[in-house]
Amino acid sequence: MARLGIMFTLFATLSLVFSIPAGSSDSSSAPSDTGANQPRFELPQKPTSNMTPLEQRGANLYSYYCTVCHGTKGEGDGINSFQLTTPPAKFADAAFMATLSDADIQKVIRQGGSALDKSPQMQPWGRVLTDQDVAALVAYIKTLSKN
Amino acid sequence: MNGFFQKLFPFLALLSFLLFIGMVWKDYDSPYLEYQRKFKTMLDLKASETGKLKGPEFQIGFRQRWIRELDRADRCETCHLGLEDPRFKDAPQPFTTHPAMAEHSYEKFGCTVCHHGQGMATTLKDAHGPVENWNSALYHDNFMENSCSLCHGEYVHDQAPILFKGQNMFYDYGCRGCHKVAGKPRTLTGPPLDEMGKRVKADWLYRWLKGPKDYLPTTKMPDHEFSEQEAADVAAFLLLGPGPEGEAVSGNAGRGKTTLLTSRCVTCHTLEGKGGSTGPELSKVSSKAWPRTLFKTIKDPHALWTQSRMPIFGFADKDIEDIVSFMTSDYIDLDLDEKEAARQIQLVKNASPERGRELTDKQGCIGCHSKIPTIKELGEIGPDLTTFGVVHISLLDFGDIKVPFKNRTVPNWIYNKVKSPRIFKEGLKMPDYHFNAEQTSAITTYVLGLKGKEVPASYTLPLGERPTDYAPQGAFGKILDKYRCLVCHKINGKGGEVANDLSQEGSRVRQEWIKRFMKAPDTIRPLLEERMPPFKVLDPEDEAIYQYCRTTLVTDKVEDLTETVSTMSLNDPGIIREGEKLYHEKYACDACHQIIGRGGLVGPDFTNEEKRLRPEWVVYYLHDPKAFLKRSVEPVYAFTDKEIEALTAFVISPKKQ
Ligand code: HEM
């Protein structure tokens, strides 16, 4: 009986030792500020963006291809817009955007204004942009009327 | 005594038995099982939404991918169960679908080669890190792109913009001057520092050393955080030797102003807040440089600094005197405090050049600047960074700063070191570039990518275009050097992005036009702000330029079209009219191109195209604009051959007023 007891005790002690969590060096203290000019340890911040990756991609394409006419905020006031005989669509205008279906927007971007009996000054970008690009542009354009 | 133990035994025995059961249970109930059960319910739920009663068979258990070539075993999918299943797009982690990865199959790459973390671990904490003795915690999103360089090499412009930016910054800002990176040559990024006394004013030099960004916010020179005395010492050392030569420049400031404003200096220099960033801002330059230096710089910038990016304009001496007179009277620092400047001059006068020399030595100025008097070539005073991306965390000294364990990672260390170089220890040599968070992240990303490792050939896929070492000889080579054409233009893969690529220029434009344009460049694309400066191109030079363009900067794709074009009726008024109709009505080219003041500003103006573009080129371009410029904003149309003929005829026809 005593032998058995000693073995159990030994076992218990051992398992106790091994079940103590290993990573105990975690000292979660705040960065110390010593001196006023001492630079602080900073954690790199993610660039704050409330856009989804798709919209972000759309935003990049938009600023490269579309802003000259449609304007940076989709107000239809890009630097080139004043040279056009038809004013470019205003994506910031929620009422106007409500009249366009996603399929229409995709079609216009791919095939140009003529595809929907609009002005051909809206050019066909279907051979420049991939399907994913176009989807990204649609997603981004639709965010412009949301604030 | 004995009795006491005997009474204790049963309790201890029970305790140990419970612990034993606990251990066994703990092993059989790993946290990942919890996730797997949850995932199974989600699967069943998804199935019932689509009308099926039960989800597909789901095997509870480990999931591991062994990527032999990369020597990795990743168990991430044990918990990240929805990676490849698009239905889990909006599911919470760890079930979220991974964004589409066209070319990066899980079979071939696994997870950790890009994300890092501990592939074999199956608990949240161990897998994501940081874990003691396991070096690489999961990469922060900011730095993920560093992994791309492992297989794709460098200059991954479109696909990894942060890495690309970091890489360019690393070499542009002269990090390479102090830090060795195997296989990368050291280039001197700063100007030579000989004869400073002839060139710049003592008080300016003092202020510059104290804070370069105060004078020139866009400068690439870092802040060495000199004290007042140190800055004065270094200035005194650099000013040893001859002082300014022949103060006075007697020109006509009024005429100088006209010359300066019509020479399109703003293509590279900023003036009154507007202009390019290729050269430094100019509006305070007379509080920095002595007039004779300005004169010499304009006359032949390359004599002062062989690497200067400024072209030799070819002005007559009289014109330069005028320009310098204008600069001396107008381009001064209006905020300069005279009394303070006098104090600074005095400070420099009383300073110790010998201490200045020691400081210059210690700070490693030679890493970026050549011709520092009496300092022998040293450079590369910082640690070698060839494999710094995989440095072991235990080798990085966090100094006295208390950083919680979970933040003690290699990326965080590099980030903070770059952001404030003296954060971990006072008195270190590394200077402060005052980078913002975005720039710091970019540099950190590049440094993390320096792994000095190679992947098997089946994984290497260089992307992006690395600069070539195009350097023509002969007359044309001399011209490129004199006018520094490659600062703005690219030829055969080398050069800047400011202006258009000239690799096919000979196939593109007509002989007479090249010659006229070289002598009197006008506006081709109205929207661009960078304009070609009017160099004083000499007579034999324009001929040499034309010859080189016509013989070397050509593409067969255009030259082979000569026959096709000769069968076209480009002068037929009917066809021209047809082209005009297509141009205005069907394709609305006028949305971007202007003719006699009507039309858009995006593309080239077509008013005088009969003198500029070759018909072969227009045919070639209309077939495939992307062949000229990959990132052209010209839409791609599907013209018929007839339409191309008509449009070409119209574009190169003389336009009626
Ligand atoms: C069918 C109508 C069009 C025709 C016939 C046409 C024709 C041309 C031609 C022949 C060139 C070459 C000029 C040179 O090499 O110097 C050119 C360049 C250019 N075009 Fe057009 N174009 C049309 C529509 C457009 C539109 C709608 C845009 C803007 C959205 C545009 C933007 C540009 C730009 C930016 C260039 C400069 C080079 C480049 O980036 O590729 N073009 N165009």
Side-chain angles (χ1 to χ4, degrees):
Chain A
M1 179 68 204
R3 285 242 315 271
L4 209 66
I6 288 173
M7 259 173 67
F8 265 127
T9 325
L10 207 77
F11 195 75
T13 340
L14 277 176
S15 22
L16 261 172
V17 167
F18 282 114
S19 59
I20 291 172
S24 57
S25 57
D26 198 339
S27 58
S28 312
S29 49
S32 67
D33 345 23
T34 41
N37 290 333
Q38 185 69 22
R40 290 177 64 101
F41 188 85
E42 286 173 32
L43 295 183
Q45 295 299 312
K46 240 177 152 172
T48 46
S49 160
N50 37 20
M51 279 192 242
T52 65
L54 190 71
E55 288 164 1
Q56 186 59 52
R57 175 170 178 172
N60 295 347
L61 288 163
Y62 182 86
S63 73
Y64 193 73
Y65 288 106
C66 319
T67 38
V68 278
C69 294
H70 290 281
T72 41
K73 298 210 170 72
E75 300 275 6
D77 58 353
I79 186 160
N80 194 47
S81 65
F82 309 105
Q83 313 290 323
L84 302 175
T85 44
T86 320
K90 293 187 179 58
F91 305 133
D93 180 348
F96 168 71
M97 288 308 282
T99 67
L100 295 179
S101 71
D102 281 15
D104 280 351
I105 304 181
Q106 293 217 3
K107 194 163 179 191
V108 170
I109 298 177
R110 284 218 187 85
Q111 302 171 23
S114 344
L116 285 189
D117 278 335
K118 306 258 168 117
S119 162
Q121 291 198 325
M122 171 61 202
Q123 305 287 330
W125 299 100
R127 290 181 203 83
V128 177
L129 306 171
T130 64
D131 286 356
Q132 239 193 0
D133 289 343
V134 175
L137 275 166
V138 175
Y140 175 69
I141 285 175
K142 295 208 316 199
T143 64
L144 290 170
S145 57
K146 288 208 181 99
N147 34 46
Chain B
M1 211 39 198
N2 225 345
F4 174 69
F5 265 125
Q6 237 148 39
K7 270 191 207 123
L8 202 63
F9 269 153
F11 290 104
L12 285 177
L14 191 67
L15 182 71
S16 64
F17 184 68
L18 285 178
L19 273 168
F20 178 67
I21 298 282
M23 294 295 288
V24 171
W25 180 74
K26 201 175 141 216
D27 223 46
Y28 273 88
D29 194 73
S30 289
Y32 76 83
L33 289 172
E34 182 70 19
Y35 290 123
Q36 295 205 335
R37 270 182 232 119
K38 229 190 244 168
F39 185 73
K40 191 163 156 44
T41 357
M42 287 170 86
L43 267 184
D44 287 341
L45 200 69
K46 296 250 185 238
S48 69
E49 276 166 14
T50 54
K52 289 186 202 134
L53 282 176
K54 249 187 93 204
E57 205 46 53
F58 180 79
Q59 289 282 332
I60 295 268
F62 252 71
R63 280 163 176 61
Q64 168 171 302
R65 261 184 223 282
W66 182 33
I67 317 290
R68 209 179 55 203
E69 286 98 327
L70 298 177
D71 191 20
R72 274 167 199 276
D74 288 353
R75 296 178 176 170
C76 314
E77 283 164 276
T78 304
C79 296
H80 290 281
L81 289 154
L83 285 184
E84 289 174 278
D85 189 338
R87 291 174 303 170
F88 287 85
K89 193 163 65 80
D90 299 318
Q93 282 295 14
F95 307 122
T96 326
T97 318
H98 195 286
M101 305 202 304
E103 284 92 21
H104 298 92
S105 67
Y106 298 99
E107 288 73 34
K108 185 163 175 192
F109 293 92
C111 306
T112 54
V113 69
C114 297
H115 287 276
H116 272 229
Q118 191 174 192
M120 306 253 262
T122 53
T123 66
L124 184 77
K125 191 164 164 278
D126 288 352
H128 300 172
V131 185
E132 224 150 352
N133 299 324
W134 184 269
N135 200 28
S136 46
L138 204 69
Y139 277 138
H140 195 280
D141 282 10
N142 279 2
F143 309 131
M144 269 285 288
E145 285 177 12
N146 85 73
S147 310
C148 308
S149 61
L150 196 61
C151 301
H152 298 302
E154 291 162 338
Y155 302 100
V156 196
H157 182 180
D158 291 343
Q159 298 88 344
I162 301 180
L163 175 69
F164 184 74
K165 179 174 171 183
Q167 170 176 25
N168 282 342
M169 283 176 66
F170 190 87
Y171 298 99
D172 287 354
Y173 281 86
C175 309
R176 179 67 187 81
C178 290
H179 296 285
K180 190 168 168 181
V181 176
K184 294 284 188 181
R186 180 160 73 100
T187 47
L188 297 171
T189 47
L193 298 184
D194 58 336
E195 307 202 315
M196 288 298 275
K198 272 193 192 171
R199 282 152 53 192
V200 300
K201 304 184 175 176
D203 57 319
W204 175 86
L205 185 57
Y206 168 84
R207 289 193 301 275
W208 175 259
L209 290 165
K210 210 60 196 85
K213 279 205 158 48
D214 295 342
Y215 174 77
L216 190 62
T218 55
T219 184
K220 302 210 164 96
M221 162 126 167
D223 182 352
H224 288 266
E225 295 178 0
F226 289 129
S227 67
E228 290 207 342
Q229 189 55 50
E230 287 172 333
D233 289 343
V234 175
F237 166 62
L238 293 174
L239 291 171
L240 287 177
E245 349 163 60
E247 268 288 318
V249 172
S250 53
N252 178 333
R255 274 197 26 218
K257 180 175 181 182
T258 321
T259 318
L260 189 140
L261 295 184
T262 52
S263 296
R264 295 180 175 171
C265 310
V266 283
T267 288
C268 294
H269 296 282
T270 313
L271 276 172
E272 277 138 24
K274 270 208 195 127
S277 52
T278 309
E281 135 89 17
L282 282 185
S283 52
K284 291 183 290 189
V285 73
S286 287
S287 54
K288 161 189 179 182
W290 297 109
R292 269 294 131 198
T293 304
L294 292 176
F295 182 94
K296 280 182 165 174
T297 310
I298 300 173
K299 187 159 172 77
D300 183 0
H302 312 161
L304 290 173
W305 181 15
T306 44
Q307 280 180 51
S308 167
R309 305 211 273 176
M310 173 138 158
I312 299 176
F313 272 68
F315 291 119
D317 284 3
K318 184 80 201 61
D319 289 337
I320 305 182
E321 298 228 329
D322 292 344
I323 295 176
V324 174
S325 300
F326 170 66
M327 290 178 127
T328 356
S329 62
D330 271 56
Y331 289 168
I332 46 176
D333 187 354
L334 295 172
D335 302 328
L336 190 64
D337 178 348
E338 296 286 340
K339 268 210 338 252
E340 175 60 16
R343 186 187 74 89
Q344 293 166 350
I345 294 176
Q346 206 51 43
L347 213 63
V348 174
K349 218 174 242 158
N350 299 335
S352 149
E354 185 46 37
R355 271 206 312 267
R357 197 194 64 78
E358 278 163 22
L359 265 173
T360 318
D361 224 353
K362 172 177 160 242
Q363 289 297 323
C365 307
I366 201 88
C368 292
H369 298 279
S370 63
K371 298 194 184 163
I372 301 179
T374 74
I375 288 196
K376 285 191 287 313
E377 187 67 32
L378 276 169
E380 295 183 352
I381 60 167
D384 186 331
L385 296 186
T386 311
T387 58
F388 205 74
V390 289
V391 64
H392 199 276
I393 183 75
S394 61
L395 297 177
L396 299 179
D397 180 8
F398 282 82
D400 291 339
I401 301 216
K402 288 208 190 75
V403 182
F405 177 73
K406 67 175 192 297
N407 294 335
R408 285 182 169 252
T409 62
V410 177
N412 283 356
W413 190 89
I414 300 179
Y415 181 89
N416 279 280
K417 176 72 181 170
V418 175
K419 188 105 212 272
S420 3
R422 293 167 194 189
I423 182 169
F424 301 121
K425 198 170 163 196
E426 285 289 319
L428 291 183
K429 288 186 241 175
M430 177 154 151
D432 193 342
Y433 285 86
H434 301 297
F435 287 137
N436 61 29
E438 194 198 333
Q439 292 171 314
T440 314
S441 288
I443 294 251
T444 309
T445 305
Y446 178 69
V447 175
L448 283 170
L450 294 173
K451 300 191 169 82
K453 263 197 212 153
E454 278 190 16
V455 287
S458 57
Y459 283 84
T460 41
L461 176 69
L463 288 175
E465 295 154 26
R466 64 181 57 233
T468 60
D469 44 15
Y470 168 75
Q473 302 296 311
F476 189 71
K478 287 215 184 76
I479 291 166
L480 279 192
D481 190 47
K482 174 172 171 192
Y483 298 112
R484 301 278 139 126
C485 310
L486 295 184
V487 168
C488 295
H489 293 279
K490 191 172 268 170
I491 299 182
N492 296 344
K494 180 157 177 205
E497 306 270 348
V498 179
N500 66 310
D501 191 310
L502 296 180
S503 312
Q504 311 175 5
E505 195 65 4
S507 293
R508 180 168 170 234
V509 293
R510 295 170 191 267
Q511 171 180 10
E512 318 80 60
W513 183 83
I514 294 189
K515 290 193 173 172
R516 194 188 53 75
F517 187 78
M518 288 318 301
K519 297 246 159 152
D522 52 9
T523 300
I524 296 169
R525 288 182 58 179
L527 210 58
L528 297 185
E529 288 190 354
E530 296 84 8
R531 302 247 179 276
M532 172 100 162
F535 302 124
K536 308 281 181 249
V537 175
L538 306 173
D539 269 332
E541 285 176 346
D542 62 351
E543 182 61 27
I545 294 170
Y546 168 73
Q547 285 302 340
Y548 189 84
C549 287
R550 201 62 204 99
T551 54
T552 313
L553 300 182
V554 288
T555 159
D556 287 345
K557 293 199 196 104
V558 175
E559 302 307 313
D560 293 349
L561 286 172
T562 315
E563 210 173 305
T564 323
V565 168
S566 67
T567 63
M568 291 182 170
S569 328
L570 298 178
N571 296 320
D572 182 327
I575 295 207
I576 294 179
R577 227 170 301 124
E578 213 176 287
E580 183 166 10
K581 232 174 126 202
L582 288 172
Y583 179 94
H584 286 295
E585 286 163 25
K586 181 163 177 195
Y587 293 111
C589 311
D590 55 1
C592 293
H593 295 277
Q594 220 165 42
I595 294 178
I596 321 176
R598 268 192 54 215
L601 307 168
V602 184
D605 186 323
F606 286 157
T607 310
N608 294 315
E609 237 29 329
E610 78 276 13
K611 302 202 186 87
R612 188 172 76 99
L613 293 178
R614 297 176 65 224
E616 292 89 341
W617 173 265
V618 181
V619 172
Y620 163 72
Y621 186 88
L622 292 182
H623 265 297
D624 183 9
K626 303 282 164 189
F628 174 46
L629 268 182
K630 218 165 64 208
R631 274 172 64 82
S632 164
V633 298
E634 168 107 10
V636 180
Y637 308 89
F639 299 122
T640 63
D641 286 351
K642 270 254 133 321
E643 285 178 328
I644 291 198
E645 177 176 4
L647 281 169
T648 307
F650 175 65
V651 166
I652 60 164
S653 65
K655 311 296 183 303
K656 298 180 251 354
Q657 281 298 328

